[in-house]
Amino acid sequence: MADQTVSGLELWHWRKEAQQQAVQAGISDAEVDWLLREIADIDRLALRLESFKDWSEVRLKVSLNDLGQLWQQRLDLRVPVQYLAGVTSWRRFALLVSPAVLIPRPETESLIDLAVRAVEQGETHLKQGHWADLGTGSGAIALGLADAFPSAPIHAVDVSVEALAIAQQNAQRLNLNQHIQFYQGAWFHPLEHLRGKLSGMVSNPPYIPSSMVPDLQPEVARHEPHLALDGGPDGLDCIRHLVATAPDYLQPGGIWLIEMMAGQGEAVENLLKQQGSYRNIQIHTDFAGLDRFAIAHRR
Protein backbone atom coordinates (compact mmCIF):
# COMPACT_ATOMS: atom_id res chain seq x y z
CA MET A 1 0.00 0.00 0.00
CA ALA A 2 1.27 3.51 -0.85
CA ASP A 3 2.00 5.88 2.02
CA GLN A 4 -0.85 8.13 3.11
CA THR A 5 -0.53 11.71 4.34
CA VAL A 6 -2.36 13.59 7.07
CA SER A 7 -1.89 17.03 8.56
CA GLY A 8 0.09 17.29 11.78
CA LEU A 9 -2.91 18.87 13.50
CA GLU A 10 -5.20 15.97 12.55
CA LEU A 11 -2.67 13.48 13.86
CA TRP A 12 -2.22 15.49 17.05
CA HIS A 13 -5.99 15.35 17.70
CA TRP A 14 -6.02 11.60 16.99
CA ARG A 15 -3.11 11.06 19.38
CA LYS A 16 -4.78 13.00 22.21
CA GLU A 17 -7.99 11.01 21.85
CA ALA A 18 -6.11 7.70 21.65
CA GLN A 19 -4.13 8.55 24.80
CA GLN A 20 -7.35 9.25 26.69
CA GLN A 21 -8.81 5.94 25.45
CA ALA A 22 -5.69 4.11 26.61
CA VAL A 23 -5.93 5.49 30.13
CA GLN A 24 -9.62 4.61 30.31
CA ALA A 25 -8.85 1.06 29.13
CA GLY A 26 -6.02 0.57 31.64
CA ILE A 27 -3.38 0.53 28.87
CA SER A 28 -0.19 2.60 29.02
CA ASP A 29 -0.67 5.75 26.95
CA ALA A 30 2.97 5.35 25.88
CA GLU A 31 1.74 2.61 23.52
CA VAL A 32 0.09 5.29 21.36
CA ASP A 33 3.46 6.84 20.62
CA TRP A 34 5.04 3.39 20.20
CA LEU A 35 2.50 2.64 17.46
CA LEU A 36 2.91 6.07 15.87
CA ARG A 37 6.70 5.70 15.65
CA GLU A 38 6.18 2.52 13.63
CA ILE A 39 3.24 3.69 11.51
CA ALA A 40 4.08 7.37 10.98
CA ASP A 41 7.16 9.19 9.69
CA ILE A 42 7.72 10.81 13.07
CA ASP A 43 10.40 10.40 15.70
CA ARG A 44 10.42 10.23 19.49
CA LEU A 45 11.51 13.85 19.96
CA ALA A 46 8.80 15.27 17.69
CA LEU A 47 6.22 13.28 19.62
CA ARG A 48 7.52 14.39 23.00
CA LEU A 49 7.69 18.07 22.01
CA GLU A 50 4.48 17.77 19.95
CA SER A 51 6.25 19.80 17.25
CA PHE A 52 4.58 17.68 14.56
CA LYS A 53 1.32 19.51 15.35
CA ASP A 54 2.49 22.35 13.11
CA TRP A 55 3.61 20.17 10.20
CA SER A 56 1.60 20.56 7.00
CA GLU A 57 1.70 16.80 6.46
CA VAL A 58 2.89 13.60 8.07
CA ARG A 59 3.41 10.40 6.08
CA LEU A 60 1.61 7.31 7.38
CA LYS A 61 1.96 3.68 6.30
CA VAL A 62 -1.84 3.39 6.57
CA SER A 63 -4.73 5.84 6.39
CA LEU A 64 -5.77 7.68 9.54
CA ASN A 65 -9.00 5.67 9.45
CA ASP A 66 -7.07 2.40 9.30
CA LEU A 67 -4.82 3.59 12.13
CA GLY A 68 -7.95 4.20 14.19
CA GLN A 69 -9.19 0.70 13.45
CA LEU A 70 -5.83 -0.79 14.48
CA TRP A 71 -5.95 1.12 17.74
CA GLN A 72 -9.52 -0.06 18.34
CA GLN A 73 -8.25 -3.66 18.14
CA ARG A 74 -5.78 -2.79 20.89
CA LEU A 75 -8.58 -1.39 23.06
CA ASP A 76 -11.38 -3.88 22.37
CA LEU A 77 -9.58 -7.14 21.63
CA ARG A 78 -6.39 -6.51 23.62
CA VAL A 79 -4.24 -7.30 20.57
CA PRO A 80 -0.60 -6.54 21.55
CA VAL A 81 0.62 -3.32 20.01
CA GLN A 82 3.64 -5.21 18.60
CA TYR A 83 1.34 -7.37 16.49
CA LEU A 84 -0.55 -4.29 15.30
CA ALA A 85 2.67 -2.64 14.16
CA GLY A 86 4.11 -5.95 12.94
CA VAL A 87 7.47 -5.17 14.49
CA THR A 88 9.18 -4.96 17.88
CA SER A 89 12.57 -3.86 19.17
CA TRP A 90 14.95 -6.45 20.64
CA ARG A 91 18.59 -5.76 21.40
CA ARG A 92 19.74 -3.65 18.45
CA PHE A 93 17.22 -5.22 16.06
CA ALA A 94 13.80 -4.28 14.76
CA LEU A 95 12.15 -7.70 14.42
CA LEU A 96 9.07 -8.65 12.43
CA VAL A 97 6.45 -10.32 14.61
CA SER A 98 3.03 -11.85 14.03
CA PRO A 99 0.62 -13.98 16.09
CA ALA A 100 2.61 -16.98 14.81
CA VAL A 101 5.49 -16.06 17.16
CA LEU A 102 5.97 -15.11 20.77
CA ILE A 103 6.82 -11.42 21.16
CA PRO A 104 10.48 -11.29 22.25
CA ARG A 105 10.76 -9.81 25.76
CA PRO A 106 13.53 -7.47 26.96
CA GLU A 107 14.58 -9.92 29.69
CA THR A 108 15.29 -12.60 27.07
CA GLU A 109 18.10 -10.37 25.76
CA SER A 110 20.06 -11.52 28.84
CA LEU A 111 20.40 -15.00 27.30
CA ILE A 112 22.81 -13.55 24.74
CA ASP A 113 24.77 -11.68 27.42
CA LEU A 114 25.04 -14.84 29.53
CA ALA A 115 26.25 -16.87 26.53
CA VAL A 116 28.91 -14.27 25.72
CA ARG A 117 30.06 -14.08 29.35
CA ALA A 118 30.23 -17.87 29.66
CA VAL A 119 32.44 -18.08 26.58
CA GLU A 120 34.70 -15.22 27.66
CA GLN A 121 35.15 -16.68 31.14
CA GLY A 122 35.73 -20.22 29.94
CA GLU A 123 36.66 -21.86 26.69
CA THR A 124 36.89 -19.09 24.12
CA HIS A 125 37.05 -21.55 21.20
CA LEU A 126 33.32 -22.13 21.75
CA LYS A 127 32.52 -18.78 20.10
CA GLN A 128 33.56 -20.23 16.74
CA GLY A 129 31.69 -23.53 17.01
CA HIS A 130 28.12 -24.57 16.24
CA TRP A 131 25.32 -23.00 18.34
CA ALA A 132 21.64 -24.01 18.39
CA ASP A 133 18.57 -21.90 19.16
CA LEU A 134 15.81 -24.38 19.95
CA GLY A 135 12.27 -23.03 19.56
CA THR A 136 13.51 -19.99 17.66
CA GLY A 137 10.10 -18.30 17.10
CA SER A 138 10.84 -14.87 15.63
CA GLY A 139 14.50 -15.84 15.37
CA ALA A 140 15.52 -13.38 18.10
CA ILE A 141 17.95 -15.63 19.97
CA ALA A 142 19.52 -17.01 16.79
CA LEU A 143 20.01 -13.46 15.51
CA GLY A 144 21.50 -12.39 18.84
CA LEU A 145 23.92 -15.32 18.74
CA ALA A 146 24.88 -14.60 15.12
CA ASP A 147 25.57 -10.99 16.07
CA ALA A 148 27.59 -11.93 19.17
CA PHE A 149 29.53 -14.81 17.56
CA PRO A 150 30.05 -13.76 13.92
CA SER A 151 32.34 -16.73 13.19
CA ALA A 152 29.90 -19.32 14.56
CA PRO A 153 27.41 -21.30 12.46
CA ILE A 154 23.97 -20.86 14.10
CA HIS A 155 21.23 -23.51 13.82
CA ALA A 156 17.67 -22.31 14.48
CA VAL A 157 14.92 -24.89 15.04
CA ASP A 158 11.17 -24.51 15.40
CA VAL A 159 8.27 -26.92 15.04
CA SER A 160 6.11 -24.16 13.52
CA VAL A 161 6.42 -23.54 9.77
CA GLU A 162 4.77 -20.12 10.23
CA ALA A 163 7.26 -19.12 12.92
CA LEU A 164 10.21 -20.20 10.78
CA ALA A 165 8.96 -18.04 7.93
CA ILE A 166 9.05 -14.98 10.23
CA ALA A 167 12.50 -15.94 11.56
CA GLN A 168 13.89 -16.31 8.04
CA GLN A 169 12.47 -12.94 7.02
CA ASN A 170 14.15 -11.33 10.04
CA ALA A 171 17.48 -12.95 9.20
CA GLN A 172 17.26 -11.70 5.62
CA ARG A 173 16.27 -8.17 6.64
CA LEU A 174 19.19 -7.98 9.07
CA ASN A 175 21.70 -9.53 6.62
CA LEU A 176 22.40 -12.39 9.02
CA ASN A 177 20.84 -15.15 6.90
CA GLN A 178 24.29 -16.35 5.75
CA HIS A 179 25.15 -17.21 9.36
CA ILE A 180 21.94 -19.06 10.30
CA GLN A 181 20.55 -22.39 9.10
CA PHE A 182 16.83 -22.93 9.76
CA TYR A 183 15.18 -26.29 10.47
CA GLN A 184 11.56 -27.33 10.92
CA GLY A 185 11.14 -29.89 13.68
CA ALA A 186 11.03 -30.49 17.43
CA TRP A 187 14.04 -29.58 19.55
CA PHE A 188 17.17 -31.57 18.59
CA HIS A 189 15.45 -33.87 16.08
CA PRO A 190 16.64 -31.99 12.94
CA LEU A 191 20.20 -31.74 14.32
CA GLU A 192 21.29 -35.38 14.25
CA HIS A 193 24.32 -34.39 12.16
CA LEU A 194 25.54 -32.23 15.06
CA ARG A 195 25.61 -34.90 17.79
CA GLY A 196 28.52 -34.19 20.11
CA LYS A 197 29.49 -31.07 18.12
CA LEU A 198 27.50 -28.16 19.60
CA SER A 199 29.40 -25.42 21.41
CA GLY A 200 26.17 -24.22 22.91
CA MET A 201 22.42 -24.69 23.09
CA VAL A 202 20.18 -21.74 23.95
CA SER A 203 16.41 -21.88 24.36
CA ASN A 204 13.44 -19.91 25.62
CA PRO A 205 11.11 -22.93 25.80
CA PRO A 206 7.45 -23.04 26.86
CA TYR A 207 7.52 -22.97 30.67
CA ILE A 208 4.08 -21.83 31.85
CA PRO A 209 2.07 -24.53 33.69
CA SER A 210 -0.95 -25.45 31.53
CA SER A 211 -3.49 -24.38 34.16
CA MET A 212 -1.98 -20.88 34.32
CA VAL A 213 -2.06 -20.12 30.58
CA PRO A 214 -5.76 -19.05 30.42
CA ASP A 215 -5.19 -16.68 33.36
CA LEU A 216 -2.29 -14.80 31.80
CA GLN A 217 -2.81 -11.21 30.65
CA PRO A 218 -5.43 -11.17 27.85
CA GLU A 219 -2.79 -9.85 25.44
CA VAL A 220 -0.83 -13.06 26.04
CA ALA A 221 -3.56 -15.63 26.66
CA ARG A 222 -5.72 -14.57 23.69
CA HIS A 223 -3.12 -13.68 21.09
CA GLU A 224 0.33 -15.21 21.63
CA PRO A 225 0.85 -18.82 20.45
CA HIS A 226 0.06 -21.30 23.24
CA LEU A 227 2.56 -23.65 21.61
CA ALA A 228 5.26 -21.25 22.82
CA LEU A 229 3.76 -20.81 26.30
CA ASP A 230 2.36 -24.12 27.61
CA GLY A 231 5.02 -26.17 29.37
CA GLY A 232 2.74 -28.96 30.59
CA PRO A 233 1.24 -29.62 34.04
CA ASP A 234 4.14 -28.12 36.02
CA GLY A 235 5.63 -26.04 33.21
CA LEU A 236 8.78 -28.16 33.06
CA ASP A 237 7.97 -30.70 30.32
CA CYS A 238 10.10 -29.06 27.63
CA ILE A 239 12.89 -28.18 30.05
CA ARG A 240 13.07 -31.81 31.21
CA HIS A 241 13.42 -32.88 27.59
CA LEU A 242 16.23 -30.38 26.97
CA VAL A 243 18.05 -31.46 30.15
CA ALA A 244 17.83 -35.12 29.10
CA THR A 245 18.71 -34.81 25.41
CA ALA A 246 21.28 -32.00 25.24
CA PRO A 247 24.26 -34.06 26.51
CA ASP A 248 24.11 -36.14 23.32
CA TYR A 249 24.59 -33.01 21.22
CA LEU A 250 26.90 -30.79 23.29
CA GLN A 251 30.64 -31.20 23.06
CA PRO A 252 32.57 -31.45 26.36
CA GLY A 253 32.48 -27.98 27.92
CA GLY A 254 29.52 -27.02 25.73
CA ILE A 255 27.00 -24.57 27.15
CA TRP A 256 23.38 -25.39 28.10
CA LEU A 257 21.37 -22.17 28.59
CA ILE A 258 17.65 -21.56 29.00
CA GLU A 259 15.07 -19.07 30.18
CA MET A 260 12.51 -20.29 32.72
CA MET A 261 9.65 -19.01 34.85
CA ALA A 262 10.32 -17.28 38.15
CA GLY A 263 10.13 -19.92 40.87
CA GLN A 264 11.47 -22.77 38.72
CA GLY A 265 15.16 -22.22 39.51
CA GLU A 266 15.51 -24.85 42.22
CA ALA A 267 13.62 -27.47 40.21
CA VAL A 268 15.72 -26.86 37.08
CA GLU A 269 18.95 -26.92 39.08
CA ASN A 270 17.94 -30.27 40.57
CA LEU A 271 17.07 -31.67 37.12
CA LEU A 272 20.51 -30.72 35.84
CA LYS A 273 22.27 -32.21 38.87
CA GLN A 274 20.28 -35.44 38.72
CA GLN A 275 21.01 -35.91 35.01
CA GLY A 276 24.69 -36.18 35.84
CA SER A 277 26.20 -34.80 32.64
CA TYR A 278 26.47 -31.16 33.70
CA ARG A 279 28.89 -29.10 35.76
CA ASN A 280 29.12 -25.47 36.84
CA ILE A 281 25.32 -25.20 37.15
CA GLN A 282 24.19 -21.63 37.83
CA ILE A 283 20.84 -19.85 38.20
CA HIS A 284 20.75 -16.18 37.18
CA THR A 285 18.14 -13.51 37.90
CA ASP A 286 16.30 -11.10 35.60
CA PHE A 287 15.93 -7.31 35.89
CA ALA A 288 13.45 -7.78 38.75
CA GLY A 289 15.81 -10.02 40.72
CA LEU A 290 13.76 -13.17 40.03
CA ASP A 291 15.31 -16.51 39.04
CA ARG A 292 14.97 -16.52 35.24
CA PHE A 293 17.92 -18.25 33.56
CA ALA A 294 19.80 -21.51 34.04
CA ILE A 295 23.23 -22.21 32.59
CA ALA A 296 25.43 -25.27 32.80
CA HIS A 297 28.37 -26.87 30.99
CA ARG A 298 28.58 -30.35 29.55
CA ARG A 299 31.06 -32.49 31.52
Side-chain angles (χ1 to χ4, degrees):
M1 180 188 292
D3 284 356
Q4 312 282 312
T5 58
V6 63
S7 75
L9 186 60
E10 278 183 285
L11 192 61
W12 181 83
H13 282 298
W14 182 90
R15 176 176 179 253
K16 286 296 182 188
E17 184 179 355
Q19 287 173 329
Q20 290 174 356
Q21 291 170 334
V23 172
Q24 291 166 0
I27 293 169
S28 170
D29 61 358
E31 289 196 15
V32 177
D33 284 358
W34 197 97
L35 184 61
L36 283 175
R37 288 200 306 274
E38 298 300 333
I39 297 293
D41 186 14
I42 189 167
D43 61 28
R44 195 185 303 265
L45 184 61
L47 286 165
R48 188 167 78 241
L49 299 178
E50 299 190 337
S51 56
F52 69 94
K53 181 180 178 182
D54 300 322
W55 297 358
S56 59
E57 64 178 36
V58 180
R59 282 204 313 275
L60 301 176
K61 293 179 182 177
V62 299
S63 69
L64 194 60
N65 183 59
D66 287 345
L67 177 60
Q69 290 181 3
L70 281 176
W71 182 244
Q72 208 60 46
Q73 290 182 51
R74 180 72 189 99
L75 298 171
D76 297 343
L77 303 177
R78 294 286 170 154
V79 178
V81 69
Q82 295 92 333
Y83 288 158
L84 295 177
V87 68
T88 194
S89 298
W90 196 81
R91 288 184 79 81
R92 67 179 189 86
F93 308 129
L95 298 180
L96 299 177
V97 291
S98 81
V101 300
L102 197 72
I103 297 166
R105 268 52 171 189
E107 59 264 26
T108 304
E109 297 180 14
S110 296
L111 284 171
I112 308 303
D113 300 323
L114 286 167
V116 170
R117 196 180 316 155
V119 167
E120 289 175 347
Q121 292 175 350
E123 299 162 72
T124 54
H125 71 277
L126 294 176
K127 70 170 67 174
Q128 295 171 338
H130 296 272
W131 284 75
D133 171 18
L134 302 179
T136 193
S138 65
I141 292 171
L143 293 161
L145 290 171
D147 188 47
F149 304 138
S151 299
I154 310 299
H155 306 270
V157 180
D158 206 288
V159 74
S160 166
V161 174
E162 293 79 13
L164 281 174
I166 297 288
Q168 288 173 300
Q169 286 181 61
N170 280 322
Q172 288 166 358
R173 290 174 76 244
L174 297 166
N175 293 318
L176 289 170
N177 50 310
Q178 301 300 318
H179 301 276
I180 306 172
Q181 183 88 25
F182 294 92
Y183 308 81
Q184 195 269 324
W187 307 120
F188 286 104
H189 288 170
L191 303 181
E192 284 294 313
H193 61 294
L194 293 173
R195 276 181 173 265
K197 297 180 182 177
L198 288 179
S199 288
M201 177 229 83
V202 186
S203 183
N204 179 16
Y207 52 66
I208 308 294
S210 303
S211 62
M212 292 178 61
V213 173
D215 298 324
L216 296 170
Q217 290 177 300
E219 287 83 352
V220 180
R222 294 182 197 169
H223 300 288
E224 297 202 66
H226 285 200
L227 184 67
L229 298 168
D230 192 335
D234 63 355
L236 295 171
D237 281 2
C238 299
I239 294 174
R240 278 193 198 88
H241 179 77
L242 294 174
V243 169
T245 54
D248 291 336
Y249 293 85
L250 290 170
Q251 61 177 273
I255 293 164
W256 187 95
L257 175 58
I258 65 149
E259 181 174 324
M260 61 192 170
M261 189 171 78
Q264 292 177 339
E266 185 178 353
V268 173
E269 185 175 1
N270 287 335
L271 287 170
L272 289 163
K273 287 178 178 176
Q274 290 162 12
Q275 205 283 333
S277 298
Y278 301 95
R279 60 173 171 82
N280 196 21
I281 300 164
Q282 299 172 23
I283 304 300
H284 291 269
T285 58
D286 61 14
F287 306 140
L290 301 170
D291 288 352
R292 181 69 63 184
F293 311 102
I295 187 169
H297 292 254
R298 174 77 163 90
R299 287 187 186 279

